[in-house]
């Protein structure tokens, strides 16, 4: 069941979230109602609880990636709707560059960091990912079309 091509594909990863995004736009849910911070925190707690159940109750292997959680179908749209209209003091270009850099660099860093047996791998990964992504964004300012 945890073989990447069987579950990490368009049908099980992209399509549900694209469909929910399409319905949010089509039904204008973002205009009609906005979730409260309490609700967003509750569904984020639901994500953590589902991950806890996977590892502690169902005894799934911690070395395997279990990243498709059912609670994400509620948490992601709720967080999107909550954050969508928050005032931001930055332009969307820098946010787009950072997200592109994270998307492009994270598989390499995961391969480098998670194959070793060092302590605090998650913290090291997050620090390396943030540093490498910001470095790519700054390089992109000098060398156009990098990202």
């Amino acid at each position: 069941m945890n073989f990447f091509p069987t579950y990490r594909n368009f049908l099980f990863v992209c399509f549900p979230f694209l469909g929910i995004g399409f319905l949010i736009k089509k039904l204008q849910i973002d205009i009609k109602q906005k979730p409260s911070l309490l609700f967003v925190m509750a569904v984020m707690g639901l994500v953590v609880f589902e991950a806890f159940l996977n590892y502690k109750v169902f005894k799934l292997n911690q070395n395997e990636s279990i990243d498709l959680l059912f609670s994400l179908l509620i948490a992601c749209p709720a967080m999107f709707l909550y954050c969508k209209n928050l005032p931001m003091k930055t332009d969307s270009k820098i946010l787009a560059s950072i997200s592109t850099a994270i998307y492009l660099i994270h598989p390499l860093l995961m391969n480098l960091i998670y194959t070793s047996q060092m302590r605090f791998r998650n913290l090291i990964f997050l620090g390396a990912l943030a540093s490498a992504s910001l470095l790519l964004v700054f390089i992109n300012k000098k060398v156009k079309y990098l990202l």
Side-chain angles (χ1 to χ4, degrees), residues 21-80:
F22 174 79
L23 289 175
I24 286 172
K25 179 67 174 171
K26 176 93 172 159
L27 301 175
Q28 296 182 343
I29 294 173
D30 57 335
I31 296 170
K32 295 177 185 173
Q33 55 191 341
K34 182 179 174 184
S36 67
L37 180 60
L38 183 63
F39 179 73
V40 172
M41 297 302 285
V43 294
M44 294 307 292
L46 187 64
V47 172
V48 172
F49 180 69
E50 185 179 355
F52 172 79
L53 285 178
N54 282 338
Y55 289 123
K56 298 296 182 186
V57 176
F58 300 127
K59 305 285 189 216
L60 296 177
N61 189 354
Q62 289 186 353
N63 293 331
E64 294 185 21
S65 175
I66 302 173
D67 51 0
L68 291 180
L69 304 172
F70 290 111
S71 56
L72 288 176
L73 293 172
I74 301 168
C76 291
M79 183 179 278
F80 170 76

Side-chain angles (χ1 to χ4, degrees), residues 39-131:
F39 179 73
V40 172
M41 297 302 285
V43 294
M44 294 307 292
L46 187 64
V47 172
V48 172
F49 180 69
E50 185 179 355
F52 172 79
L53 285 178
N54 282 338
Y55 289 123
K56 298 296 182 186
V57 176
F58 300 127
K59 305 285 189 216
L60 296 177
N61 189 354
Q62 289 186 353
N63 293 331
E64 294 185 21
S65 175
I66 302 173
D67 51 0
L68 291 180
L69 304 172
F70 290 111
S71 56
L72 288 176
L73 293 172
I74 301 168
C76 291
M79 183 179 278
F80 170 76
L81 287 173
Y82 182 78
C83 295
K84 183 176 179 281
N85 294 323
L86 289 177
M88 298 293 265
K89 295 190 182 212
T90 185
D91 62 342
S92 60
K93 175 68 175 142
I94 189 75
L95 294 176
S97 295
I98 290 172
S99 65
T100 302
I102 289 172
Y103 177 76
L104 293 174
I105 200 75
H106 86 273
L108 174 66
L109 291 176
M110 284 177 71
N111 194 19
L112 292 174
I113 293 171
Y114 284 111
T115 55
S116 66
Q117 294 299 324
M118 63 179 75
R119 295 183 67 190
F120 305 111
R121 289 183 294 187
N122 291 339
L123 291 175
I124 293 170
F125 171 71
L126 288 174
L129 183 62
S131 302

